[in-house]
Amino acid sequence: MADFVNHILTLEDSWIGYIVAALVAAVLILHVVAVGALLFIWMERKISGRIQDRLGPTRVGGKFGWLQTLADGIKLIAKEDVTPDLADKFLFKIAPYVGLAASYAAFIALPFADGVVGQHVNTAVFFVLAVLGLEVFSVILAGYSSGSKWSLFGAMREAAQVVSYEVPLGMCVVVPVMICGTMNLTTIANMQAGFFTNWLVFNDPFTFLTAIVYFTCATAGVNRAPFDLAEAESELVAGFHTEYSGLRWSLFFMAEYSSMFIVAALASILFFGGSHGPIPIADVLGLLSLDNLGSSDPAFHVFNEDGGGFFASLNLEIAIARFLGVANLLLKGTIGVTVMMWVRWSFPRLRIDQVMTMCLKYCVPLAAVGFLGATAWQALDLPTGNSLMNSPRYSHHELWTADDSESTVEEASSNEVQTPHEDDTHAAAKAVELKTVPVSVVKGGER
Amino acid sequence: MASSKIDDPRVIEFDVRTDEMLINMGPQHPSTHGVLRLVLRTDGEVVSDVEPHIGYLHRCAEKIGENLTARQWVPYTDRMDYLAAMNMNLGWSLVIEKMLEYDLPERGRHLRVIISEMGRIASHLVAMGTYGLDLGSFTPFLYGFREREKILNLFEEACGARLTYSYLTPGGATADLPADWTGKCRQFLAEFKEVIPELHTLLTTNSIFVSRTAGIGVMSAKMAIDYGCTGPVLRGSGVYHDLRFHGEERYTEMYDGYVFDVICADPATGKYPESNYEFHGDSLDYPEIPRQAVLGDCWHRFYVRMLEVVQSVRLVEQAIEKYEATSGDWGTPIKLVQKLPVKEAYMETEAPRGQMGFYVVGNGESIPWRVRARSSSFCNLSVTAPLCQGILLADIPAIVGSLDVVMGEIDR
């Protein structure tokens, strides 16, 4: 993107291109956060309404009350921004922004489809989890600075809970990383291309277990019911945001909903095929060659630097593939969020000791079992869901590792998909020819 | 002397000494059911002491009763336990009738059974729903309110009001039930019976619900009796006592010829009476008691209410039949300025929340000389302090919610 801007402006590797690219990406992602929150809050109200046998919003915006959140947002903006006397004013005011910034920043490395990503990060998994983990600061800050005992209770709970749940969460995330051999989310997603049997959740029983544990821990990590202890309204009035009102309060909400989406999207990338649908429709119908998706440097699929100009270089096939990919990922993320909502409106809340018990006695051991089991499964080379259909994951995987060792290349020869020659350069050349070189590892690394 | 330092069993953590924090829970708090104020002494999440403060809803109802005639005071009884206003009306009506030695005609008796048992269903539905709310589950609340709404519609048809009915008055009721009311009531019962298993699924057998309530706030039968607990709170501790069986004759004769169970676990076996109640050929089975549950805990108090609802359904069905079989007068309400004899009368009835007693002293005037109410919620609330020691903060809504107090009745 930066190179494309520089190319248009006929600048050579200038910082201006990077600034413009960053701004465009930031604005686009902001829309995902804001519009996503808008949609999810509306969805939550509608879903809770249906679960509770009522209608939910029906009027604002014509049918289905789909503009209800916007109306609420306008109301919230118009409300007085109260800061309590006892509050630590600076921290109190800054806390909601910290939370929103954390969940917003995590979107930077989240690939919506192959190549549709704010910034390619080779350790995207790590980046997203680390940045999302910063969100806990906002809750602790809010609770500490509010000058209210209820807020303090909320913050204490949040600190204990979120920090504990990061342990099993991290252990679960390690499993796909271990299987795919990369921390790059785009590569992980691409390795699951093809039929849904390729999804890592169906890789072996242990990844299935891991996916469930991941989702549980993610729900706890973003403070959703039944783990929403930090804002347990029946005990702590409103928990950490008791003293907040107006826009600041709504920022907490936006942060909550966008981090819900982030963890759900992360789940879909790590376990549920990311931007790849359950059935590669376009590929089956022959519209697109599946191999094209992982073909070249992600940043230059649509904007080709040597094509000269925007339209001349527009690769329609890949643009469609990306569009479908983004739709897939958004859909999967939304399904994940919906499940969280479904759980929230069905279950009572756990008690703090039960939440900690759940983490330390169940989630951590289960995650450990999942990790060890999945490792053993890989090490023993047992049959995986991947081998049910003719699949490209091994080709991706092994071509990537082919750079490092020849032994894996030899193993790859057992795979029907392709048989790279032992000669590395020949293999690379052939890979380019077959267009199956995985994304960004070869070229993306340079960027 | 070595271990003399920490004798207080309420001190849980003594390795790291931290400051205790006093917290006001209420009077404006989402889970204190009105304007109850609890002062908590907490050490982190552990609550070592709870002190309930009441009086935020005091409206001098009893004193007002000494300035109004017996019939004029009926609307004030509505506002005591506003979730079971019909049962409050009934208690007051019965005590005045007892004073006047007035005997109700047969039709009026069955009408009162229908109305008061429907009131009990409505009240227990709110208790069930708000208890779910206390534990962080929103959906049962709306399920309960949806069903309660149908009862309120029926009540509205009968008397015109939806919350404060003043329908049952000394001498009978303000009006007979409208035509075809019983048909609608039957339809409601048929629909409602389908819903009961749903409510059990949402809460009673839900594993999170069980883990939040089972073994929490355990109250022995002796303690329940000592503190004067009544109603489901008492029966939840395994004390077989229901005024509809064990009450004064003037009250129990209202239920003459009716078949129903007192919902109470047998302390020896821990078993509840078998559900021998058939509905369209299917028996309404009671869910199993989870193994974590201890007799007298929050779960049992909740369970007793859920089963009582079924018994009330059973009673209403019988009452409708009996009501339809009788004809004639449903009772004549006493005159507005009916003079009360020079004597005193006290009577307790089994309201949804426990034994609701009214005490009247007449002096020959139409305005009673003394009016006093014995509130069930008041006594039930008194166990809060002993039950809430050394528990976690989240258990407080669980325990207070399981007592199902209504502040309007406590403060009067």
Side-chain angles (χ1 to χ4, degrees), chain A residues 30-340:
Chain A
L30 188 64
H31 279 77
V32 176
V33 174
V35 179
L38 218 65
L39 179 79
F40 288 140
I41 292 172
W42 171 77
M43 223 168 82
E44 172 119 55
R45 302 178 68 158
K46 218 55 189 166
I47 287 173
S48 69
R50 294 297 164 155
I51 288 176
Q52 296 168 351
D53 212 359
R54 52 192 179 84
L55 293 173
T58 51
R59 288 171 192 235
V60 187
K63 251 180 150 37
F64 311 124
W66 63 280
L67 276 179
Q68 183 66 47
T69 325
L70 197 66
D72 289 348
I74 291 168
K75 184 204 78 174
L76 285 168
I77 290 170
K79 276 179 91 167
E80 187 187 354
D81 184 19
V82 183
T83 310
D85 270 352
L86 281 175
D88 184 327
K89 302 242 170 7
F90 175 69
L91 293 181
F92 183 83
K93 286 187 172 161
I94 207 171
Y97 300 113
V98 173
L100 188 66
S103 60
Y104 172 45
F107 274 95
I108 291 174
L110 190 80
F112 289 91
D114 187 355
V116 186
V117 54
Q119 174 59 47
H120 262 284
V121 183
N122 266 336
T123 51
V125 176
F126 177 70
F127 179 85
V128 170
L129 281 185
V131 172
L132 204 59
L134 295 178
E135 210 196 335
V136 68
F137 281 122
S138 92
V139 174
I140 294 174
L141 278 183
Y144 163 75
S145 65
S146 285
S148 156
K149 289 170 181 174
W150 297 120
S151 305
L152 194 60
F153 261 112
M156 268 163 52
R157 287 178 170 191
E158 168 89 4
Q161 178 190 336
V162 173
V163 171
S164 318
Y165 270 92
E166 295 221 326
V167 176
L169 192 72
M171 287 167 87
C172 293
V173 166
V174 165
V175 171
V177 170
M178 182 265 302
I179 293 174
C180 296
T182 175
M183 281 187 132
N184 189 325
L185 283 172
T186 314
T187 317
I188 292 178
N190 281 341
M191 284 185 182
Q192 302 174 59
F195 284 90
F196 62 90
T197 46
N198 293 353
W199 292 357
L200 283 174
V201 65
F202 301 122
N203 193 57
D204 59 68
F206 294 101
T207 49
F208 191 78
L209 171 78
T210 312
I212 294 171
V213 177
Y214 169 84
F215 201 76
T216 313
C217 296
T219 312
V222 297
N223 262 318
R224 287 291 291 185
F227 306 103
D228 57 342
L229 293 170
E231 46 184 306
E233 77 296 315
S234 60
E235 300 140 31
L236 304 185
V237 190
F240 67 91
H241 58 65
T242 306
E243 304 293 338
Y244 281 88
S245 64
L247 198 60
R248 281 178 216 284
W249 181 82
S250 69
L251 289 181
F252 276 121
F253 255 66
M254 269 170 75
E256 179 185 333
Y257 281 89
S258 67
S259 33
M260 264 165 79
F261 179 75
I262 273 260
V263 292
L266 199 59
S268 71
I269 292 174
L270 292 176
F271 295 102
F272 297 96
S275 53
H276 301 282
I279 297 162
I281 301 169
D283 194 42
V284 168
L285 296 179
L287 294 176
L288 293 170
S289 162
L290 196 119
D291 295 336
N292 272 344
L293 298 186
S295 62
S296 59
D297 194 329
F300 299 102
H301 275 321
V302 180
F303 310 110
N304 197 330
E305 62 178 330
D306 25 78
F310 180 79
F311 294 102
S313 68
L314 193 67
N315 185 337
L316 188 67
E317 198 179 58
I318 286 171
I320 292 171
R322 279 180 174 177
F323 177 77
L324 290 176
V326 171
N328 253 321
L329 187 87
L330 291 180
L331 185 70
K332 282 178 194 171
T334 311
I335 289 172
V337 172
T338 312
V339 171
M340 287 189 194

Side-chain angles (χ1 to χ4, degrees), chain A residues 51-54 149-150 153 157 226 233-237 345-354, chain B residues 22-24 29-31 44-45 134-135 138-139 142-143 146 206 208 211-212 216 392-395:
Chain A
I51 288 176
Q52 296 168 351
D53 212 359
R54 52 192 179 84
K149 289 170 181 174
W150 297 120
F153 261 112
R157 287 178 170 191
E233 77 296 315
S234 60
E235 300 140 31
L236 304 185
V237 190
W345 297 105
S346 308
F347 285 129
R349 182 181 301 114
L350 288 164
R351 208 168 50 205
I352 182 77
D353 62 323
Q354 289 161 349
Chain B
L22 271 184
I23 299 185
N24 258 314
H29 187 278
S31 69
E45 286 277 337
D134 285 344
L135 300 176
F138 289 83
T139 306
L142 281 122
Y143 276 45
R146 182 188 65 195
N206 181 307
I208 296 181
S211 65
R212 283 294 307 275
I216 303 295
L392 291 172
L393 187 66
D395 290 332

Side-chain angles (χ1 to χ4, degrees), chain A residues 193-194 198 386-387 389-395 415 417:
Chain A
N198 293 353
N386 197 262
S387 47
M389 299 271 178
N390 191 11
S391 73
R393 189 191 303 159
Y394 278 134
S395 60
N415 197 314
V417 178

